Amino acid sequence: MLIQLDHVKKEYEDFTLELDMHIPENRVTGLIGANGAGKSTTFKLMLGLIRPDAGDVKVFEKKAGELSAEDRQKIGTVFSDSGFSEYLTVQQVGRIMQEFYLDFEPEQFYRRCEYFHIPQKKKIKEFSTGMKAKLKILLAVSYDSRLLILDEPTAGLDVIAREEILDILRGYMEVPGRSVVLSSHISGDLEHFCDNLYMIDKGKIVLHEETDRIMEEYGLLKMSEQEFTGLDKEYLLRVRKESFGYSCLTDQRTYYLENYPMIVNEKGNIDEVIAMLVKGERI
């Protein structure tokens, strides 16, 4: 197991985060939730940047706060509020990376920069938002890391650039023993790239599910009040009152297709699942 968070609690004055989360090798794990739900705090716990008030956080079978410099060279990160000085050029950043990371691959890094039209002699402050985002990703995969922790890695990129970045990450995952943990507000990235998803809402995990199962078995049921009254509610996760009657989230879509063929039964997607889990009511 690359990452283990067991009975973890982190308390602030007006917010408490509680986590149980296991990240195995050879998996891409998505972390979803509204702003302020606790995603960034979770990443900081994984990296040992903050310590839990209770529970254990382990990375590579060691406590996160006790990782050696060698261990940390096996972790690649992308955070929206971190990076190199914007007064540096890409060439200067490359030389710094060579000093700090023994496995840094400069030729591959510069080749990818050229492919993505990232100028190597310009200062980073002159880059567009999209160019800065691409550079961070390219740096994170430019050395032999086992684990990538990416906070909104495709934010600010157009559709084509996002897909190119995801292709690089797919190539990264072709090497056995690696894992990626990422957050994203772009549901397409999650649906087509992540193997499984954790959803955090108000500091608690409210969903942990295989992405394929969400796409196949989660569904949004829509019905009148009369149909809702006669519905078997055992497999409903959330319910929301609507002008036409009720919307219901289920993780047993096939059951309702077979037993209630007259009600509207739509395949779920990530955005709808998130909305219902946050705004819907429990039965």
Side-chain angles (χ1 to χ4, degrees):
M1 200 68 63
L2 290 188
I3 302 177
Q4 296 170 261
L5 293 91
D6 294 316
H7 310 296
V8 168
K9 180 181 284 190
K10 183 65 181 177
E11 296 184 88
Y12 295 97
E13 184 176 342
D14 56 352
F15 177 76
T16 299
L17 180 65
E18 298 179 71
L19 298 169
D20 275 289
M21 188 180 297
H22 291 177
I23 310 296
E25 295 180 339
N26 307 310
R27 301 282 281 174
V28 178
T29 299
L31 199 58
I32 57 178
N35 291 333
K39 302 189 300 296
S40 294
T41 302
T42 301
F43 286 146
K44 289 175 183 177
L45 285 164
M46 290 177 178
L47 292 168
L49 300 176
I50 58 175
R51 295 183 181 273
D53 297 311
D56 292 315
V57 181
K58 291 185 177 180
V59 179
F60 308 146
E61 305 296 332
K62 297 180 179 180
K63 288 189 176 182
E66 299 175 0
L67 292 176
S68 66
E70 184 178 346
D71 293 327
R72 293 187 181 279
Q73 292 209 4
K74 296 299 181 181
I75 303 174
T77 62
V78 169
F79 282 83
S80 59
D81 57 353
S82 65
F84 286 93
S85 167
E86 295 198 346
Y87 288 91
L88 296 175
T89 66
V90 170
Q91 286 184 342
Q92 290 171 323
V93 168
R95 287 196 289 271
I96 292 171
M97 291 290 289
Q98 281 184 272
E99 292 295 324
F100 279 94
Y101 292 92
L102 299 177
D103 295 322
F104 179 69
E105 300 171 346
E107 291 184 7
Q108 185 182 71
F109 170 66
Y110 293 126
R111 189 166 59 248
R112 285 173 172 171
C113 285
E114 187 175 340
Y115 177 80
F116 283 104
H117 307 292
I118 296 175
Q120 298 178 28
K121 296 181 180 180
K122 268 188 178 182
K123 291 181 179 180
I124 296 172
K125 70 175 184 176
E126 299 175 35
F127 288 7
S128 67
T129 300
M131 289 168 64
K132 291 176 183 177
K134 291 178 192 177
L135 177 60
K136 288 183 179 182
I137 287 289
L138 294 176
L139 286 168
V141 300
S142 64
Y143 52 95
D144 188 26
S145 57
R146 291 182 61 199
L147 172 65
L148 292 184
I149 296 179
L150 312 175
D151 190 10
E152 297 288 342
T154 57
L157 300 181
D158 58 40
V159 174
I160 294 174
R162 284 208 315 272
E163 190 57 36
E164 289 171 336
I165 290 296
L166 291 177
D167 281 342
I168 288 178
L169 295 176
R170 291 185 186 105
Y172 169 86
M173 284 299 297
E174 289 177 0
V175 178
R178 292 176 169 178
S179 281
V180 175
V181 186
L182 80 158
S183 68
S184 178
H185 283 96
I186 303 170
S187 59
D189 293 353
L190 300 169
E191 291 173 0
H192 301 299
F193 183 53
C194 294
D195 297 304
N196 66 114
L197 297 173
Y198 282 91
M199 179 176 173
I200 301 177
D201 184 44
K202 298 174 184 176
K204 296 183 184 294
I205 294 174
V206 296
L207 173 76
H208 176 218
E209 192 64 88
E210 297 290 314
T211 309
D212 287 346
R213 187 166 188 276
I214 291 176
M215 303 305 296
E216 294 298 324
E217 287 300 325
Y218 277 60
L220 196 64
L221 312 178
K222 298 179 180 180
M223 68 204 75
S224 66
E225 290 198 30
Q226 183 177 358
E227 289 170 325
F228 181 75
T229 300
L231 187 75
D232 179 356
K233 301 174 181 62
E234 181 179 357
Y235 303 114
L236 299 184
L237 302 177
R238 295 289 192 277
V239 173
R240 187 166 64 188
K241 187 75 173 70
E242 308 280 9
S243 59
F244 56 81
Y246 287 90
S247 291
C248 305
L249 178 67
T250 180
D251 62 350
Q252 300 290 335
R253 180 170 175 265
T254 302
Y255 172 82
Y256 289 101
L257 277 172
E258 294 174 349
N259 293 281
Y260 299 91
M262 298 304 294
I263 65 174
V264 176
N265 190 325
E266 300 174 347
K267 263 191 177 183
N269 61 48
I270 302 299
D271 290 336
E272 289 173 337
V273 170
I274 291 173
M276 285 296 292
L277 286 172
V278 172
K279 297 180 180 179
E281 297 180 0
R282 295 180 184 271
I283 294 292

